[in-house]
Each structure stands twice: as C-alpha cells, then as structure tokens.
Amino acid sequence: MSRTLPPPSETRLFEVWPFFFGAGVLAIVWQGPMPERLIASFFAHMTMQMAVIGLAAPLLAFGLLRLLPELRERIPADLPILAAVSELVFVWGWHLPQLHDVARLSALALVLEQGSLFLAGLGLWIGVLSLGASGSRKRRWIAAGCLIFTAAHLGVLGVYLLIQPDPLYACSELCVRMDAPSGLEEQRLGALAMILVGGLAHLTGALAILGRMVPAILSGEGGKA
C-alpha cells in the first residue's frame, strides 16, 4: 500500500523573494560606496535614507510576513500609528541642520540615523501590511491612513527643501567636492529623491490597500468593521 507523501511547505524560496531583495538593498546601501560619498553629497545621503525606508523596509516586511504568517494576527492595530509618528519624528529630526551635518560627518551619528529610520520604517510596513491584509475595514483604513500620512510629510519636507533659495546645511557647502554639483543643486536633487522614492512608495502602498477594499465597497459589503 503506497504511503501519501506530506504536502510541500507553503513557504518556498521564491515566495519570500522580497525579503532577500530587501536585504540586498540594505547591503548595497550600507556596504556600497554611498557611506563614503555622503560626506560630499547631500543627494547620496538622501538616497540612502529613502532606499532604507522606501525600498528595503517594505520589501523586508513583506518577506518577513510571508516567512512568519502567524505574525499578522499578533500585530496590534496601533503599531502602524506609533511607527508612522516615530518615522515623522526621525525623518524631520535628522533633517534639522545641526543633526544632519553631524550624521554626514560622524560614523556613530550615521549609524543612529540609519538605524532609527530603518526600525521605524520596518515597524510601519509590518504594521500596515498586517492590518491591510485583514478582513477588518477599520484596520485597512488605519493601514492606508498611516501610509498616506507618511507620504504626505515626506512630500512636504521634500517640497520645503526643493524651494529653498539657499542650502540649509553647512556641510552642503563645506564638504562638497569641486567637481560635484553645488550644495543647492545637491539639496534639490535630494528633495526630489525624497518625493519620488519615499513619497511615492508609501502612496503606492496606500493605494494598493484601498484598491483591495473597492470591490467590497461597491458590492455593499465593505468587510468586517
């Protein structure tokens, strides 16, 4: 009598590819040439930040929840709210002129900056992906709202940096290489990176969550409250 083989594991390598892609983004950002270039380049510094919170964090969160699907049920509804507020504080705080210049010149400050942004971003995306996949209409609205809030404050800061007539940061003028764009040009390029990478990544996530709610809303169901 033949024996029935056990079913293959639902979690396969190709199903958790976002986790490995996210880890790859972090490896490139943290171990590549950017840490050396950021001293002389505001754009390189901003690219690091947006790659961490707008690319690596969502990819790692998505892959982690595929690896450990039971985490979805354990995520409290207020996690994305707390993470979104924390990310607001960290993003705006690290763009204060004094803290920004220190992070570009001090390895320890850079580690603190990148670590705080990464943890806040990872917590935000784990929270919103968990709530967004639930059957609760309220939880999905919370998830989408947190991403829209984050996209909005990144966009506002990006526009603020973009419209400045002069560089806001001392390091943008003192540390820039002779063959590099001016400090003001670097600041504007960095502002565009914040808007286009950070802002759009979070807005896209919010639209994806809201898009999953449209069929239920149109059918009059709307999901569980």
Side-chain angles (χ1 to χ4, degrees), residues 42-43 46 49-50 53 88 91-92 95 149-166 168-169 184-200:
F42 180 91
F43 177 63
M46 185 69 81
Q49 294 175 340
M50 294 304 105
I53 65 174
L88 167 70
V91 168
W92 283 75
H95 283 90
F149 170 77
T150 303
H153 79 70
L154 290 173
V156 169
L157 181 55
V159 170
Y160 176 76
L161 294 173
L162 188 63
I163 64 175
Q164 295 304 304
D166 300 299
L168 293 178
Y169 308 104
L184 183 59
E185 290 172 338
E186 286 272 352
Q187 182 171 295
R188 288 172 174 169
L189 287 172
L192 289 174
M194 173 172 279
I195 297 169
L196 296 177
V197 179
L200 286 181

Side-chain angles (χ1 to χ4, degrees), residues 13-211:
L13 188 61
F14 69 88
E15 292 180 328
V16 295
W17 65 264
F19 183 86
F20 297 104
F21 269 68
V25 171
L26 284 184
I28 293 172
V29 169
W30 288 347
Q31 299 298 322
M34 282 190 189
E36 295 180 0
R37 293 189 59 193
L38 65 85
I39 295 177
S41 174
F42 180 91
F43 177 63
H45 193 181
M46 185 69 81
T47 300
M48 283 184 67
Q49 294 175 340
M50 294 304 105
V52 167
I53 65 174
L55 295 177
L59 287 170
L60 285 169
F62 193 51
L64 188 61
L65 291 173
R66 281 188 168 186
L67 280 170
L68 303 170
E70 64 275 7
L71 282 179
R72 296 181 187 273
E73 302 302 323
R74 300 178 183 177
I75 299 299
D78 56 356
L79 174 62
I81 299 175
L82 295 175
V85 173
S86 298
E87 189 169 309
L88 167 70
V89 172
F90 290 138
V91 168
W92 283 75
W94 284 113
H95 283 90
L96 294 174
Q98 298 85 348
L99 290 180
H100 173 86
D101 289 337
V102 170
R104 286 176 67 177
L105 297 172
S106 166
L108 177 59
L110 179 63
V111 169
L112 291 175
E113 177 209 77
Q114 293 288 298
S116 60
L117 292 175
F118 172 68
L119 291 177
L122 185 64
L124 173 64
W125 282 99
I126 287 178
V128 299
L129 290 175
S130 298
L131 270 60
S134 72
S136 167
R137 182 174 65 251
K138 178 181 178 181
R139 284 176 169 246
R140 289 184 178 182
W141 278 116
I142 291 174
C146 287
L147 288 177
I148 292 172
F149 170 77
T150 303
H153 79 70
L154 290 173
V156 169
L157 181 55
V159 170
Y160 176 76
L161 294 173
L162 188 63
I163 64 175
Q164 295 304 304
D166 300 299
L168 293 178
Y169 308 104
C171 202
S172 295
E173 289 295 337
L174 300 177
C175 307
V176 68
R177 302 191 314 272
M178 294 298 294
D179 60 340
S182 69
L184 183 59
E185 290 172 338
E186 286 272 352
Q187 182 171 295
R188 288 172 174 169
L189 287 172
L192 289 174
M194 173 172 279
I195 297 169
L196 296 177
V197 179
L200 286 181
H202 291 82
L203 183 60
T204 300
L207 292 177
I209 292 172
L210 293 174

